[in-house]
Amino acid sequence: MTDFTQLTADTVAAYLASRRALAAVIDADRIASVREVGDGNLNLVFIVEDAGGASVVLKQSLPHVRTDPSWPMTRERSAREATVLGEHQRADAEHVPALYDFDHEHYVLAIENLSDHRVWRNELNAGRVHEYAADAIGAYVARTAFATSPLGLDPLEHKALVARAVNPELAQITEDLVFTEPYIDHPHNAVLPANEPDVAALRADRALRREMGLAKFRFMTTAQSLIHGDLHTGSVFVRPAGGFEKATDAPASVRAFDSEFGFVGPTGFDLGALWANLILAAARAEALGEPDRAELVLSLPGRLWGAFEREYRALWPERLDPRVWGDEVLEHLLAGIRDDAAVFAAAKAIRRIVGFAKASDIETLPPAEREGAARGVLQAGRSLALTRHGIADVEALAAESLATLRATGTPR
């Protein structure tokens, strides 16, 4: 019997033949190509095509970090990803890959092949902004947040979802990497020598440490909705209208993928995670001497929030219990989510500069430009965390971040 504990290119065809749920998706007897494309830290990923042109992506969780086998990881994270993807597909199939099958015995997800899309981070790094993606992701977060919260889900079902989606091991990674390690001496941390004083200043800032402590507590204790949990520009696929070769009549498409960090948590975390990565993209543009592109990128947090708010308001009449959830409650909820998004954006931006698993937006810059970009992101994150209170305008907060990036960048 073939061992599917850890798939290889040679065992994929036999694996597909063993999964009845995939018989209508791909012809396991006529496999034409198998490509192993996983470049992340946690999983094996294969793109499989048959002779008729049908395809599927297989994603298998490993029991350890790929780059460090001594760092164990729970394989159950694939079950949590299947839960998130299934629930999000029901709420907003337009903005996630289709889930075809989940094999709990071997921890394999079979999902839609989106090879005609590109990773948004890579596109931003190349100078292609794809502004429409911010609108799409804002709508996605609103739809999935409403549908998986007590507003749109029976209270007993919501409590069952909290239990089913509990994700303690990966949540703890976020708690440590995002909210704790950047503010202490830790082996995961590394910056350019020129940025060490910038980090020291952050760690000495008691007001900032207080905000990060409160944000961590919110992350650990708030069960609003089933969040993606790691919604950065590297976990969003984009495709412009007509496709990248402009050879089809395909519409523009945006899909959020890699939701294995998902759990029932604070809705604003997903918005903040993407917001933070837009700050990184803008810092890169500024460092490369492209101020117009930086300004365009930092118009996107406003578009992200605007799309979220419009969709959330549109869904509000469908709330399950209007007896006590009046319109004043909606305004309070939106204000809280917006405030959460801002402080989580600050935390995620700082973490990408100081901590483990940095972002290519900054890391691929030459050292001289990287120093100024990193300093700008750190100071923009600090300012966002400390000045967000009472500022309801996301555009104003993003403009403040842009001004900070321009004031701290490496002189050209």
Side-chain angles (χ1 to χ4, degrees):
M1 184 175 180
T2 305
D3 180 10
F4 301 133
T5 303
Q6 187 164 321
L7 292 175
T8 67
D10 292 333
T11 60
V12 160
Y15 174 79
L16 290 171
S18 75
R19 301 298 298 175
R20 292 183 180 179
L22 296 176
V25 176
I26 193 166
D27 188 344
D29 295 326
R30 302 175 64 231
I31 297 301
S33 68
V34 178
R35 289 181 291 141
E36 208 277 295
V37 297
D39 59 358
N41 292 315
L42 303 178
N43 307 292
L44 295 170
V45 181
F46 299 90
I47 298 177
V48 190
E49 298 181 0
D50 68 17
S55 63
V56 68
V57 171
L58 299 179
K59 179 179 178 180
Q60 184 176 43
S61 61
L62 294 173
H64 53 75
V65 175
R66 289 184 66 171
T67 56
D68 183 2
S70 67
W71 186 349
M73 295 292 297
T74 174
R75 301 190 81 177
E76 285 294 327
R77 66 185 184 274
S78 60
R80 285 103 184 221
E81 182 172 1
T83 295
V84 176
L85 192 50
E87 294 293 331
H88 285 193
Q89 185 172 277
R90 281 185 280 277
D92 187 18
E94 178 184 359
H95 293 125
V96 293
L99 174 63
Y100 300 132
D101 183 37
F102 174 61
D103 175 2
H104 195 283
E105 180 183 359
H106 298 107
Y107 305 100
V108 180
L109 289 145
I111 58 179
E112 181 181 6
N113 178 17
L114 295 171
S115 294
D116 61 338
H117 293 57
R118 294 179 184 171
V119 174
W120 195 12
R121 187 187 305 283
N122 297 342
E123 288 292 286
L124 286 164
N125 285 352
R128 296 182 287 271
V129 176
H130 300 279
E131 302 98 301
Y132 58 89
D135 304 310
I137 294 299
Y140 158 72
V141 175
R143 292 170 189 169
T144 56
F146 191 93
T148 63
S149 78
L151 297 172
L153 193 62
D154 176 86
L156 292 179
E157 293 180 17
H158 179 260
K159 292 174 178 63
L161 179 61
V162 171
R164 184 157 49 94
V166 67
N167 201 355
E169 298 90 354
L170 270 66
Q172 186 174 19
I173 289 175
T174 301
E175 293 155 16
D176 291 342
L177 266 62
V178 174
F179 299 109
T180 303
E181 290 176 6
Y183 306 96
I184 62 174
D185 288 327
H186 195 279
H188 286 160
N189 297 333
V191 295
L192 291 171
N195 290 124
E196 289 176 359
D198 304 310
V199 176
L202 289 183
R203 291 176 180 167
D205 190 327
R206 294 178 62 183
L208 177 63
R209 289 168 65 100
R210 179 195 66 228
E211 293 298 323
M212 290 301 109
L214 292 170
K216 179 175 180 176
F217 191 80
R218 289 277 295 163
F219 180 83
M220 296 176 73
T221 61
T222 304
Q224 285 179 317
S225 61
L226 184 60
I227 65 173
H228 179 286
D230 197 25
L231 189 59
H232 51 75
T233 53
S235 56
V236 175
F237 279 132
V238 295
R239 185 190 67 200
F244 282 96
E245 304 302 325
K246 303 298 182 184
T248 72
D249 57 358
S253 176
V254 179
R255 310 290 189 93
F257 66 99
D258 274 358
S259 53
E260 61 196 342
F261 277 76
F263 71 108
V264 179
T267 298
F269 188 76
D270 280 349
L271 296 167
L274 194 60
W275 184 347
N277 281 262
L278 294 171
I279 293 173
L280 296 174
R284 177 185 179 84
E286 277 292 318
L288 294 175
E290 301 175 31
D292 290 345
R293 182 158 65 89
E295 186 171 352
L296 176 59
V297 170
L298 276 179
S299 72
L300 300 188
R303 288 181 64 163
L304 172 73
W305 173 258
F308 171 84
E309 183 176 356
R310 285 191 301 274
E311 191 68 22
Y312 207 82
R313 289 186 183 277
L315 291 166
W316 184 249
E318 300 176 21
R319 63 198 185 279
L320 296 182
D321 191 354
R323 296 171 298 177
V324 293
W325 291 337
D327 291 344
E328 297 85 356
V329 172
L330 170 62
E331 300 308 320
H332 184 81
L333 287 174
L334 286 171
I337 293 169
R338 184 174 56 240
D339 187 74
D340 279 352
V343 74
F344 289 140
K348 293 282 278 186
I350 292 169
R351 155 267 194 279
R352 284 289 191 177
I353 299 299
V354 180
F356 188 74
K358 300 187 187 312
S360 60
D361 314 53
I362 307 300
E363 293 301 295
T364 57
L365 292 170
E369 285 76 14
R370 194 185 340 153
E371 174 195 334
R375 181 172 297 115
V377 172
L378 293 177
Q379 294 192 18
R382 176 190 178 278
S383 178
L384 186 55
L386 296 178
T387 67
R388 75 189 194 282
H389 300 296
I391 301 178
D393 188 350
V394 173
E395 289 90 345
L397 291 170
E400 185 179 76
S401 294
L402 180 61
T404 300
L405 295 178
R406 288 179 171 170
T408 54
T410 304
R412 298 186 64 81

